[in-house]
Amino acid sequence: SYDGNRRRWNLSDLNAYIKGSCKGDFPYEEEVLDADDRYNEYIITRLRTARGINLADIARDLGSRYYRYCHSQASSYITRGQLLLSDNEQLQLAPESIMICDAITRDLMV
């Protein structure tokens, strides 16, 4: 599971998981994401969607540093028409950019 700050997963050791679940305890591992990880997660999960990336959400949730970084990294793609930036700061892939989505995603990540 992922709640925006932490990622959790069941133990991969099936025997330990079964033992714990028999006691009503479902053992898991967890990692707490830092701001860079949360930003990267947002970019990875949102750029491929029809809604895309909302730069205002980045500023609100992660701060102006990440807003400026994302806008700066996206600027050359916007200029070339590979990313579309709406008046409400929604950043989306242009339809013809689907095949280079991974490269754009990589360039937007920190």
Side-chain angles (χ1 to χ4, degrees):
S1 66
Y2 175 66
D3 68 3
N5 293 310
R6 293 176 307 208
R7 186 177 293 118
R8 290 177 25 168
W9 58 92
N10 294 333
L11 285 181
S12 59
D13 181 341
L14 185 57
N15 290 328
Y17 186 81
I18 291 170
K19 274 185 185 178
S21 64
C22 288
K23 297 175 187 174
D25 177 32
F26 296 91
Y28 61 87
E29 294 182 25
E30 175 180 80
E31 70 176 328
V32 177
L33 301 171
D34 63 18
D36 284 354
D37 291 333
R38 289 194 317 272
Y39 169 82
N40 288 337
E41 189 81 22
Y42 184 84
I43 297 300
I44 290 168
T45 58
R46 296 294 300 271
L47 189 58
R48 287 179 168 82
T49 67
R51 187 171 168 207
I53 295 169
N54 187 292
L55 293 174
D57 287 348
I58 290 174
R60 183 192 69 233
D61 297 340
L62 297 165
S64 61
R65 173 180 160 239
Y66 292 97
Y67 171 91
R68 288 190 310 273
Y69 178 82
C70 187
H71 198 281
S72 172
Q73 294 299 105
S75 65
S76 65
Y77 291 106
I78 294 167
T79 300
R80 291 191 301 265
Q82 295 168 316
L83 284 175
L84 309 173
L85 181 61
S86 70
D87 290 337
N88 65 346
E89 297 194 289
Q90 202 70 21
L91 191 59
Q92 297 170 297
L93 282 173
E96 60 274 6
S97 298
I98 298 296
M99 298 303 287
I100 62 167
C101 180
D102 288 345
I104 295 172
T105 300
R106 181 197 62 229
D107 289 346
L108 295 180
M109 293 174 62
V110 292

